[in-house]
Amino acid sequence: MRQKPTVLAREIVATSRLFCVEELKLRFSNGVERTYERLVGKGAGYGAVMIVAMLDAEHAVLVEEYCGGTDEYELSLPKGLIEPGEDVLAAAERELKEEAGFGARQLEHLTELSLSPGYMSQKIQVVLASDLYEERLEGDEPEPMRVDKVNLRDLSSLAQNPQFSEGRALAALYLARDLLTQRGVFQS
């Protein structure tokens, strides 16, 4: 295993309401020194969840919401921040109820994904939800989200949809499809 670089200095060089830009001065094991910048969340950082919620053996829930980063309405999986003291599965169920209007009788943590590890410290926990039932909780979204669905057989088509661009969501859907196929729940 490679030796991680030595941190020579660490400084917050910019802040916003949600994020900080941290500058890291590093020395690598070969003596080369570099300065990196990374986006870090503010506060304690309890993490986030993304939910692959299965309506049936083939269809997963998608939600449509306005995304400030792309300045577009986009389709993605339900997701949100984990609140202080909340575990991953409880956060997944709460976010699923707030964003899509479903609860889940079965929740399973699948994996942890990052978005852009070269520049961002944030990671998201991927949860598989099944045996859904209708239940809505009031969330913090500024407007109701439109709920849609995707057939796990059509993920390559989803990737071509101009309203769907989140790589983490696509990876989560493929992981869920592979797991469900291995378990014999989904027949590809």
Side-chain angles (χ1 to χ4, degrees), residues 7 9 21 37 44 62 75-76 80 88 91 99 107 120 132 160 170:
V7 178
V21 177
E37 289 183 351
L62 295 176
L75 290 169
S76 190
V88 169
E99 294 193 356
L107 295 157
M120 300 174 81
L132 303 184
Q160 302 304 313
L170 188 60

Side-chain angles (χ1 to χ4, degrees), residues 62-111:
L62 295 176
V63 292
E64 180 189 61
E65 69 178 316
Y66 176 77
C67 297
T70 59
D71 189 29
E72 299 288 342
Y73 280 90
E74 301 238 357
L75 290 169
S76 190
L77 295 172
K79 60 189 168 298
L81 296 176
I82 299 171
E83 295 180 356
E86 190 175 43
D87 77 4
V88 169
L89 299 182
E93 181 155 28
R94 178 184 49 75
E95 286 293 342
L96 184 59
K97 289 176 180 179
E98 290 175 3
E99 294 193 356
F102 290 104
R105 291 182 186 89
Q106 291 192 29
L107 295 157
E108 177 182 356
H109 182 259
L110 296 184
T111 193

